[in-house]
Amino acid sequence: MRHGGRALVLGVLLAAGGPVRGAAQCADGSPPPCRLSRPALDSGRYVILPFAHREGSQAIDLDGADCAEFLSEAFGRWTDVQLTDKTRIYDALYRRRAGVPFRIPFDAALAIARQLGAGRVVIGQLWNFGDTLRLTAGVYDAARAGPPLREATARIPSATAHAGAAFNALAASLLGADPGPAGGTGAEATRSLRAYNAARLGQRALRAWDLSGAARAFRAAIAADSEFAHAYVWLGQALLWAADSSVDAAHDRATIARRASSLVERLGPTDRALLLAQRAMFERRWPDACKRYREVLARDSLNFDAWYGLAQCNAEDPVVLRDSADSARFVFRGSWHTAALAYRTALRLAPSFNFAFGSSARERMARLLLAEDFWWREGLFDTLPFFAFPEAASDSIAFYPLSGADMARRGHRPKTQARALAMNRTILTDIATAWVDAFPQDPMAHRALSYALEVSGRIAPTVGEPHTAVGEMAAAQRLERRPLEQAHDAVASVRLFVKAGDFEAARRTGDSLLRTIRAPTSGVAGVAVLLGRPALAARLLAIEDTFWLHGSADNAPVRLPLSTGLAGLRLLAYTSVAAPRESIAVLERRIEQLLATLPAAERGPARSALLDLPAELVFDDMGLRPTHRTTPPGPDGTMTIQWALAHGDTAFVRGNLDTTASSHEYAYLKARSFVALGDTAQAERYIDATLENLPQAYSALLDYLPLAGSLVRTMALRAELAAARGEAAPARRWASAVVALWSGAEPALQPTVTRMKKIAHME
């Protein structure tokens, strides 16, 4: 990610919301989203639903969902049998809040099958008598309903790992005399009771989208039976979905990759391809993984696991190659456009999968789809880091990366980046809308949709625009009950009010939030900076906020102790509003002391990361700071310009001052440079490009402290320039905005508020 030729480590806090939609059923009896076209019913596709545990029978370890899992494994042996993948079944059950004990009405079972495009639905029941289970199951025509096409029964011991053979026989009976060739062990996957019980717990965790719990359970199943092939597949899937980078996960990935070739013959065709795809992913052979996922999709074009895997193998492939059509240009091997379309397909097939990521679902969605112009894609050409912003290439999205050094110097922004972002935002909105339609009472879904609408510029209600970011965030706030998420929603509301130009509402909402916060809380300090309270912001900074630390001038990697990183953030809080000077000077000295404890080779990049931008932010108020320089690392263009201004070299400044658009902190600094040259007209034009386009401000406005503070300083500068030119309307407009936001500012900023009040009343 870049700003003004400098790397900036930014994350995105997606906000969401909107009017809560009703939960009425669709015309076919299924729950929303109704707008998505249903797949045509395939008479060769089966969906196996959890068995109903009959009333009056005692509680047992093997429940109705476990029976369906066993029977699915048994069906999965047959090469010519199409099974609806489990993830989409879990999604359908999750939408209906169906859980133990499962008692799915017949008409609801038919509706689920139709929703999933399955022409055949298997419905079963179980009774238990002492230590014996009695199962009955029938195959029904999902389109015509009516009596079962086939029925079968089975009796099995209730507490045994040897039930697999019985489920295999039950599947053969339900499929008829000659279902075609079979492969793998089917339901007869393990003879270890401990492994069997652990795997059941893992499947239950997956049904609840508890990926870490599922991984623990499948890890235990493998520990109990190292030949339990299905447990390897399920563990690998949980690890891929969670992007787990723990030590345990690294060991698991290596084990799965090593054992895959000896286990595949125990699996049915779909699981076999998935395991081989996982092995390729874990061995960083992304093109081979994509090939395996496409094999699954050739068999089943509605398979969630394969669509999501196809997205991952393309998006996660970091390899940069020379473009075969132009040797002077570079390309990524993996197609981001293919990844984005695959993510959309997967997450529309199973919207509830978003719940697997909890409160971070909105951030994950933003990173997957690069919906804002500060996000870039990173890769490696051999061992050299390369970076690229998205650009439009016909109807698809392309990336043409540059080396880190070239990106730092040139700040390349493709001419078609805006069109590429529009395509990404459309995909993001499609995914978020499907999530809200499927789960209209869930605040996380509304946050995701609010973010999608925000980055698309649909902020506040307008005529003919039924869904807006403000409305979706309001829905999230009404539905949320968790205190931390309520605080984050309030931060998002402040940001949306600023982008909508309602500065009084932004201050009221921010004041209300800050009155309730008594301890460091992630994501809240930016509100304090926006409202002119840097000392409060410094107290509220949390460990999670260190994600927003600036990068070094030459994009070199920087590793910092936590205490040093937090000190750097506190300095940013003060320098974002350039006050008070005493606090800034004290923190600069403290950071220099902390940097002296680092290894000598690491001090230069770390000093640049922690001190460069703060020095640039206070240059016009405090002059050159100790970190201003002309020697590496960097310096970036802003520091170079400030050095020239301080030494009276205005000719250099005129010849090198970049006039392209920048984020708020750099827009402010460039405008100040124009003022220093006496070119106030150019300064006003530059400022207006920012202030008149607030709906397109970054969603990181309150997460990255310099954005919050510099925005208000830009408003004050615009008011002063307009007042000096006798332009009353813009002077009053922006002075009033500063007064609205900073009326409760800390003492060091009150002189600015006093000046703005005078300008706000000018005739």
Side-chain angles (χ1 to χ4, degrees), residues 41 74 119 155 189 226 312 331-332 412 430 501 561 594 667 680 718 745 761:
L41 295 188
R155 291 178 181 272
S226 62
Q312 287 186 293
V331 294
F332 286 91
H412 174 66
D430 286 349
L594 292 169
T680 56
R718 183 66 179 92
H761 291 92

Side-chain angles (χ1 to χ4, degrees), residues 490 493-494 497-498 502-516 527 530-531 533 739-744:
S493 292
V494 172
F497 284 133
V498 169
D502 192 344
F503 306 116
E504 292 283 357
R507 190 200 69 245
R508 289 194 302 270
T509 305
D511 283 343
S512 177
L513 169 66
L514 295 176
R515 282 194 296 269
T516 67
V527 175
L530 179 77
L531 301 186
R533 304 173 199 176
V739 171
L741 292 170
W742 277 9
S743 59

Side-chain angles (χ1 to χ4, degrees), residues 171-344:
S173 298
L174 291 171
L175 288 169
D178 185 18
T185 60
E188 204 168 4
T190 182
R191 293 184 177 275
S192 165
L193 183 59
R194 203 149 54 90
Y196 157 83
N197 285 329
R200 287 192 302 111
L201 293 176
Q203 293 289 358
R204 291 176 186 179
L206 279 183
R207 289 197 294 273
W209 303 124
D210 177 6
L211 299 182
S212 60
R216 287 193 299 271
F218 293 135
R219 192 176 292 127
I222 292 170
D225 179 359
S226 62
E227 300 302 314
F228 191 174
H230 294 82
Y232 286 89
V233 177
W234 300 328
L235 174 59
Q237 205 62 68
L239 295 175
L240 281 174
W241 287 344
D244 191 341
S245 60
S246 66
V247 173
D248 285 342
H251 177 268
D252 293 335
R253 290 193 294 269
T255 301
I256 293 170
R258 186 180 68 252
R259 294 295 318 279
S261 59
S262 65
L263 296 169
V264 290
E265 294 306 318
R266 300 176 61 83
L267 299 168
T270 297
D271 283 346
R272 185 179 305 142
L274 289 175
L275 181 60
L276 292 174
Q278 291 170 12
R279 179 176 69 176
M281 290 289 288
F282 297 152
E283 292 177 344
R284 301 173 69 82
R285 294 184 290 107
W286 293 277
D288 292 340
C290 289
K291 178 181 177 181
R292 296 294 183 180
Y293 287 126
R294 291 188 187 280
E295 288 175 7
V296 177
L297 292 172
R299 285 176 44 82
D300 179 6
S301 63
L302 298 177
N303 187 288
F304 172 92
D305 302 350
W307 279 115
Y308 201 86
L310 183 63
Q312 287 186 293
C313 68
N314 276 284
E316 295 177 14
D317 186 347
V319 175
V320 172
L321 306 169
R322 289 194 182 275
D323 190 346
S324 60
D326 181 354
S327 61
R329 190 169 66 178
F330 296 87
V331 294
F332 286 91
R333 183 173 61 185
S335 168
W336 194 275
H337 187 66
T338 297
L341 295 180
Y343 279 129
R344 175 169 64 181

Side-chain angles (χ1 to χ4, degrees), residues 100-121:
V100 178
F102 289 94
R103 295 188 181 90
I104 302 172
F106 182 68
D107 59 346
L110 295 177
I112 290 173
R114 294 166 186 161
Q115 173 192 337
L116 299 176
R120 300 288 183 263
V121 57

